[in-house]
Amino acid sequence: MSKASQKLSIEQLAKLFIQLSALESAGLPVFQAFAIITQSEVKLKKPLALMQQQLKAGRPISDAGFKSGIFDDTHKTLIHAAEASGQLASVYRQLADHYTRLDARIKKVKSRFYVPILILIVGMNFQSVFSSR
């Protein structure tokens, strides 16, 4: 990550790439797109403000996102290739799909751990109650 490193959660990355895909498909200029996302995603306000500064300095989206800590090395490479080929919306959509599926899998795995953990805790409490007698 960059010096401004702000690690985004999987859910935040999914939301970000969904919005970027929609705004890019709508043909909005990059500055306007990031201004809209900044208003709707409060948790991303600071890193997106840093990214906008990088964009105003003339950096491409891939470098600006990397230097602001939003994109990692893989994002930077993919988005750089998308910029060069004119396929930003498509790459944003693929990243959005990837992170949306990953977020759903993570939430599903976590939800399946609740019952076994609860049973373990209850069992340990029963054991400590009966062993103290």
Side-chain angles (χ1 to χ4, degrees):
M1 292 292 270
S2 72
K3 60 187 171 196
S5 184
Q6 168 108 7
K7 183 87 170 131
L8 303 182
S9 71
I10 301 299
E11 185 176 12
Q12 287 174 318
L13 285 169
K15 287 179 183 179
L16 175 65
F17 287 121
I18 287 169
Q19 290 178 331
L20 285 172
S21 173
L23 295 170
E24 180 69 25
S25 295
L28 287 175
V30 68
F31 291 110
Q32 193 174 5
F34 281 101
I36 290 169
I37 295 170
T38 301
Q39 291 173 354
S40 66
E41 294 295 326
V42 177
K43 292 180 181 179
L44 299 179
K45 193 171 189 130
K46 184 177 179 180
L48 286 174
L50 290 171
M51 185 170 179
Q52 285 181 308
Q53 289 175 353
Q54 295 290 324
L55 290 168
K56 286 178 185 174
R59 297 206 193 294
I61 297 167
S62 55
D63 287 338
F66 181 75
K67 290 189 182 292
S68 65
I70 294 173
F71 300 152
D72 63 16
D73 288 325
T74 304
H75 298 141
K76 180 182 175 185
T77 302
L78 289 170
I79 293 169
H80 178 74
E83 288 172 307
S85 67
Q87 297 295 317
L88 270 173
S90 175
V91 169
Y92 288 153
R93 171 53 46 203
Q94 290 174 11
L95 286 166
D97 292 345
H98 168 73
Y99 284 111
T100 300
R101 286 190 309 270
L102 182 58
D103 185 48
R105 282 194 309 261
I106 289 170
K107 287 178 179 175
K108 187 175 184 179
V109 167
K110 284 182 179 179
S111 72
R112 289 186 176 182
F113 277 116
Y114 292 134
V115 172
I117 290 173
L118 181 63
I119 291 171
L120 177 66
I121 292 170
V122 170
M124 290 172 63
N125 284 336
F126 275 135
Q127 181 182 7
S128 66
V129 168
F130 289 115
S131 65
S132 65
R133 287 184 174 193

